[in-house]
């Protein structure tokens, strides 16, 4: 029957009919059924098993490996893998001729729970007879490890802890195989020290290790600490055991309320002061010092609907510090009556106590306060050409010290451009000097000034307000040409593009217009570009090289214009290839220039000598010639600007 099953499925057989050792399994290599040979991964090999810590003489036989080829040929067997030829080496060996698998020493499951080998079979002198076969040896667990605790436990238990309350939970470990009887643990308390007022003040849940209070009479003053000896046993409480200590410290319960040493307090605080300590309140508590049952927490119960005050615990935990959380206002309330209560950090422990309270009367001391502008910042819109002495705005402040009946006066605190005046008595602000929207102190068309208001107290208090004047643009700036100098050839000259700007806003800007003035019309032409924001200037006549003044009148779209003088240097060149002889001369060698200048100076000396000797004759000659004139450089420049003549 077994032989037929092997022939049909070609699977691995664990046989029980083993010669000389009926207790040991025989593993037989798969036999081909005549079809395609199957790979070893197609088969599921049942694992072998060896019990850990097994006594007896070693090596001990585990199984025998057989191949059907051993009937016709001489075969040799071997194993490879961890535990055989790899570390740990030689825990398992195989008889190369018989295929017997042996374990050479007692095994420890907690060190290695299983071994996986490959079995090899070769034909003597002919190589491999079978594909390698994988076998697994599982180490069967024995209860050879006792439970153990990794820590000793410390916990607190309040003296008012209710019956059944969990105090602490313990947990032991067992290195034997999980989820077996060998690691199934149970807990119990072996001893309670001291055994007072009863010896069963605590109990433990056998399965979870949860320790709970079961007895009454915990008293920190009498029994401040308990030591419990806890045992864990495997085999569900019937096997090996381990122990640990659980130290329980009895803590104080909050059964005493804190009490104020005074029932009422009085204090005086200046108005407008924040974070000022008003009063310090002391309490006493009969519970254990520096514990949550002793530490005090203070609270304002009534008298502070606006949150003007705050109270916090002092560093010694028995002091309440009352302070101002906001600025107090004498004019609104000259006195505040507060009710402050005190409790502990933890609730009272099941006892009925009366919460202690104290009354605090805070008087507010009046101080001189600065007048207040309302609004603090005001905005007015005015044209930039508002006339001098015209009113800008009446900006007034009120004195919060209503009981003092003081007079408020006004002054300019900051006026960067010096444009404003303020009436001392009324706060009426007027224009003191012409305003300019295009001025350097304007940002986004706005001018900012600071106005002061002060009272007539012996030590005056001053408040400030911000005045923002948004200036509306008027057409008070004619457009100008950005370029003041140009260079141009006198033959086939290139057009010159001149940019036009206007300090006024777009409403008084482009499109611009241009016209030539005076003698400039004779030799030049000018027109606006397509966008009418720039001027195209052309030399219309071939002029001798030299410097010329071109007068251009540029106007904005509303007709406001002014003359602009462009200094034009005309060079003896053609088109855009500018080349000026004067500039070339300026670049000649310095020694030559010095020689020329020296000759000129020498010639001038000779002329002076001749002038002195022939003074009378020259005066007569000059008088008779009316086509000779004296040259004044400054006057010549003015004439050039007006008439556009060469100079």
């Amino acid at each position: 029957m077994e032989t037929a099953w092997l022939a049909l499925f070609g699977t691995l057989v664990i046989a029980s009919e083993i010669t000389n050792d009926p207790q040991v399994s025989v593993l037989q290599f798969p036999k081909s059924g005549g079809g395609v040979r199957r790979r070893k991964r197609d088969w599921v090999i049942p694992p072998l098993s060896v019990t850990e810590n097994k006594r007896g003489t070693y090596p001990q036989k585990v199984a025998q490996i057989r191949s059907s080829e051993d009937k016709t040929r001489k075969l040799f067997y071997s194993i490879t893998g961890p535990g055989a030829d790899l570390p740990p080496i030689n825990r398992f060996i195989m008889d190369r001729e018989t295929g017997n698998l042996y374990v050479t020493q007692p095994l420890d499951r907690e060190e290695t729970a299983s071994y996986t080998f490959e079995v090899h079979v070769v034909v003597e002198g002919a190589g491999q007879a079978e594909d390698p076969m994988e076998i697994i040896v599982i180490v069967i667990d024995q209860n050879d490890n006792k439970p153990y605790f990794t820590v000793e436990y410390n916990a607190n238990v309040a003296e008012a802890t209710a019956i059944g309350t969990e105090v602490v939970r313990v947990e032991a470990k067992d290195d034997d195989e999980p989820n077996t009887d060998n690691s199934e643990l149970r807990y119990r308390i072996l001893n309670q020290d001291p055994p007072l007022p009863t010896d069963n003040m605590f109990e433990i849940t056998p399965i979870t290790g949860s320790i709970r209070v079961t007895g009454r009479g915990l008293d920190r003053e009498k029994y401040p600490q308990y030591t419990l000896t806890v045992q864990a046993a495997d085999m569900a409480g019937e096997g090996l055991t381990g122990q640990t200590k659980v130290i329980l410290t009895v803590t104080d319960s909050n059964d005493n309320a804190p009490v104020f040493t005074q029932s009422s307090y009085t204090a005086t605080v200046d108005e407008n002061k924040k974070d000022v300590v008003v009063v310090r309140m002391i309490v006493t508590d009969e519970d254990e010092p520096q514990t949550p049952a002793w530490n005090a927490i203070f609270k304002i119960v009534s008298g502070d609907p606006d949150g003007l005050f705050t109270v916090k615990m002092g560093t010694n935990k028995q002091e309440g510090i009352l302070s101002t959380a906001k600025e107090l206002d004498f004019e609104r309330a000259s006195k505040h009556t507060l009710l402050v209560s005190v409790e502990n950090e933890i609730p009272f422990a099941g006892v009925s106590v009366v919460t202690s309270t104290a009354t605090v009367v805070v008087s507010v001391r009046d101080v001189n306060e600065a007048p207040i502008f309302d609004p603090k910042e005001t905005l007015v819109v005015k044209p930039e050409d508002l006339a001098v002495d015209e009113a800008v705005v009446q900006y007034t402040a009120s004195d919060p010290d209503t009981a003092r009946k003081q007079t408020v006066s006004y002054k300019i605190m900051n006026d960067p451009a010096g444009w404003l005046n303020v009436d001392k008595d009324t706060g009426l602000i007027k224009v003191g000097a012409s305003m300019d929207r295009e001025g350097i102190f304007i940002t986004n068309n706005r001018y900012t000034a600071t106005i002061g208001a002060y009272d007539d107290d012996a030590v005056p208090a001053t408040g400030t307000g911000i005045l923002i004047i948004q200036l509306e643009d008027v057409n008070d700036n004619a457009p100008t040409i950005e370029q003041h100098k140009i260079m141009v050839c006198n033959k086939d000259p290139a057009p010159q593009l001149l940019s036009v700007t206007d300090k006024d806003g777009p409403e008084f800007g482009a499109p611009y217009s241009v016209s030539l003035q005076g003698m400039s019309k004779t030799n030049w032409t000018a027109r606006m570009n397509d966008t009418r924001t720039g001027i195209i200037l052309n030399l219309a006549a071939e002029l001798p090289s030299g410097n010329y003044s071109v007068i251009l009148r540029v106007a904005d779209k509303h007709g406001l214009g002014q003359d602009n003088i462009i200094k034009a240097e005309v060079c003896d060149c053609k088109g855009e290839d500018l080349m000026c002889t004067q500039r070339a001369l300026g670049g000649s060698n310095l020694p030559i220039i010095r020689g020329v200048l020296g000759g000129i100076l020498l010639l001038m000396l000779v002329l002076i000598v001749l002038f002195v000797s022939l003074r009378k004759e020259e005066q007569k000659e000059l008088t008779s010639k009316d086509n000779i004139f004296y040259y004044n450089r400054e006057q010549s420049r003015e004439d050039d600007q007006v008439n556009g003549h060469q100079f």
Side-chain angles (χ1 to χ4, degrees), residues 386-494:
L386 189 64
V388 174
D389 287 334
E390 284 293 320
V392 177
V393 67
Q394 187 167 19
Y395 192 21
T396 59
S398 59
D399 192 341
D401 295 314
T402 55
R404 297 190 176 211
K405 306 300 182 183
Q406 299 179 129
T407 300
V408 177
S409 301
Y410 301 91
K411 60 182 177 179
I412 300 292
M413 301 288 291
N414 184 37
D415 179 15
W419 290 344
L420 305 175
N421 291 325
V422 62
D423 187 284
K424 175 183 177 182
D425 299 320
T426 65
L428 179 62
I429 299 170
K430 295 183 178 181
V431 178
S434 297
M435 298 185 291
D436 184 4
R437 188 191 68 90
E438 293 75 36
I440 61 174
F441 298 105
I442 301 299
T443 302
N444 295 328
N445 299 329
R446 293 185 173 189
Y447 179 73
T448 302
T450 304
I451 312 301
Y454 57 96
D455 57 34
D456 57 354
D457 191 79
V459 180
T462 301
T464 59
I466 303 300
L467 171 62
I468 300 175
I469 305 174
Q470 181 163 329
L471 294 175
E472 294 179 326
D473 192 23
V474 297
N475 197 11
D476 58 347
N477 291 279
T480 59
I481 299 175
E482 292 185 358
Q483 297 91 333
H484 300 291
K485 295 181 180 180
I486 62 171
M487 292 177 60
V488 64
C489 290
N490 58 3
K491 301 179 185 66
D492 193 16

Side-chain angles (χ1 to χ4, degrees), residues 34-245:
V36 179
R37 187 174 185 180
R38 303 187 68 181
R39 297 172 297 173
K40 63 175 182 175
R41 297 182 184 273
D42 294 335
W43 313 106
V44 178
I45 311 300
L48 302 172
S49 61
V50 176
T51 302
E52 70 170 334
N53 305 320
K54 189 175 182 181
R55 299 181 181 181
T57 303
Y58 286 86
Q60 294 183 1
K61 189 175 180 181
V62 177
Q64 183 181 17
I65 310 300
R66 294 288 304 277
S67 171
S68 59
E69 298 292 330
D70 63 358
K71 297 177 181 179
T72 60
R73 294 186 287 183
K74 179 66 174 178
L75 303 179
F76 295 107
Y77 299 90
S78 63
I79 60 171
T80 59
D85 62 335
L86 297 176
I89 297 175
N90 292 335
R91 288 193 179 177
F92 291 84
I93 59 176
M94 177 167 282
D95 188 296
R96 68 190 299 267
E97 294 187 359
T98 65
N100 290 336
L101 177 65
Y102 296 93
V103 60
T104 62
Q105 64 186 55
L107 302 180
D108 183 359
R109 189 204 67 84
E110 287 70 44
E111 178 188 352
T112 306
S114 66
Y115 298 85
T116 301
F117 306 112
E118 280 195 343
V119 181
H120 307 270
V121 58
V122 297
V123 180
E124 183 179 22
Q128 180 175 299
E130 302 276 6
D131 287 338
M133 181 175 65
E134 182 180 271
I135 61 172
I136 299 174
V137 179
I138 296 176
V139 182
I140 298 176
D141 186 40
Q142 296 292 310
N143 191 20
D144 58 344
N145 292 280
K146 65 180 182 179
Y148 61 93
F149 293 89
T150 58
V151 296
E152 287 191 353
Y153 294 87
N154 292 273
N156 294 331
V157 53
E159 56 185 347
T161 301
I163 300 295
T165 302
E166 180 181 296
V167 178
V168 68
R169 187 181 294 253
V170 299
E171 181 181 11
K173 297 182 180 297
D174 194 310
D175 292 335
D176 288 318
E177 186 172 2
N179 302 317
T180 66
D181 287 344
N182 296 338
S183 59
E184 183 73 19
L185 304 182
R186 295 292 185 271
Y187 302 94
R188 67 183 180 127
I189 297 175
L190 298 180
N191 184 59
Q192 171 190 304
D193 181 31
L196 299 170
T198 65
D199 60 358
N200 61 345
M201 294 295 292
F202 306 93
E203 68 175 11
I204 189 169
T205 302
I207 296 177
T208 64
S210 172
I211 298 176
R212 302 182 307 279
V213 176
T214 57
R216 301 183 184 278
L218 291 174
D219 191 331
R220 181 186 63 84
E221 288 73 26
K222 293 181 179 180
Y223 317 112
Q225 188 177 86
Y226 289 91
T227 301
L228 306 181
T229 303
V230 177
Q231 172 188 280
D234 59 21
M235 301 297 290
E238 302 298 329
L240 304 177
T241 63
Q243 296 181 4
T244 189
K245 298 291 186 183

Side-chain angles (χ1 to χ4, degrees), residues 154-425:
N154 292 273
N156 294 331
V157 53
E159 56 185 347
T161 301
I163 300 295
T165 302
E166 180 181 296
V167 178
V168 68
R169 187 181 294 253
V170 299
E171 181 181 11
K173 297 182 180 297
D174 194 310
D175 292 335
D176 288 318
E177 186 172 2
N179 302 317
T180 66
D181 287 344
N182 296 338
S183 59
E184 183 73 19
L185 304 182
R186 295 292 185 271
Y187 302 94
R188 67 183 180 127
I189 297 175
L190 298 180
N191 184 59
Q192 171 190 304
D193 181 31
L196 299 170
T198 65
D199 60 358
N200 61 345
M201 294 295 292
F202 306 93
E203 68 175 11
I204 189 169
T205 302
I207 296 177
T208 64
S210 172
I211 298 176
R212 302 182 307 279
V213 176
T214 57
R216 301 183 184 278
L218 291 174
D219 191 331
R220 181 186 63 84
E221 288 73 26
K222 293 181 179 180
Y223 317 112
Q225 188 177 86
Y226 289 91
T227 301
L228 306 181
T229 303
V230 177
Q231 172 188 280
D234 59 21
M235 301 297 290
E238 302 298 329
L240 304 177
T241 63
Q243 296 181 4
T244 189
K245 298 291 186 183
V246 178
I247 299 174
L248 301 177
T249 300
V250 181
T251 59
D252 186 34
S253 292
N254 190 16
D255 52 0
N256 294 284
V259 178
F260 284 101
T261 58
Q262 293 179 227
S263 60
S264 63
Y265 299 85
T266 59
T268 300
V269 179
D270 288 345
E271 66 173 331
N272 304 323
K273 294 295 181 67
K274 182 182 176 183
D275 297 326
V276 175
V277 174
V278 178
V279 69
R280 296 176 182 268
M281 301 166 286
I282 307 299
V283 298
T284 60
D285 196 313
E286 296 180 1
D287 289 313
E288 183 180 4
Q290 307 303 325
T291 66
W294 182 83
N295 298 339
I297 296 178
F298 299 86
K299 182 171 65 174
I300 300 174
V301 178
S302 64
D304 186 26
D306 298 325
L308 300 176
F309 300 89
T310 182
V311 61
K312 62 181 180 179
M313 179 173 58
T315 56
N316 65 356
K317 308 295 182 69
Q318 289 278 281
E319 180 184 47
I321 304 173
L322 181 68
S323 305
T324 56
K326 300 178 182 178
E327 296 178 356
L328 304 183
D329 187 350
F330 174 83
E331 284 69 32
R332 291 189 60 185
S334 61
K335 182 180 292 185
H336 300 269
T337 301
L338 311 177
L339 184 64
V340 181
S341 67
V342 61
E343 296 178 349
N344 295 122
E345 289 182 348
I346 59 175
F348 297 118
V351 294
S352 178
V353 295
V354 177
T355 301
S356 180
T357 60
T359 301
V360 182
V361 178
V362 182
S363 298
V364 182
R365 182 184 295 114
D366 187 25
V367 297
N368 186 30
E369 299 173 84
I372 300 173
F373 283 94
D374 186 18
K376 179 69 175 177
E377 181 177 290
T378 188
L379 171 69
V380 295
V381 179
K382 297 293 179 180
E384 63 174 321
D385 61 349
L386 189 64
V388 174
D389 287 334
E390 284 293 320
V392 177
V393 67
Q394 187 167 19
Y395 192 21
T396 59
S398 59
D399 192 341
D401 295 314
T402 55
R404 297 190 176 211
K405 306 300 182 183
Q406 299 179 129
T407 300
V408 177
S409 301
Y410 301 91
K411 60 182 177 179
I412 300 292
M413 301 288 291
N414 184 37
D415 179 15
W419 290 344
L420 305 175
N421 291 325
V422 62
D423 187 284
K424 175 183 177 182
D425 299 320

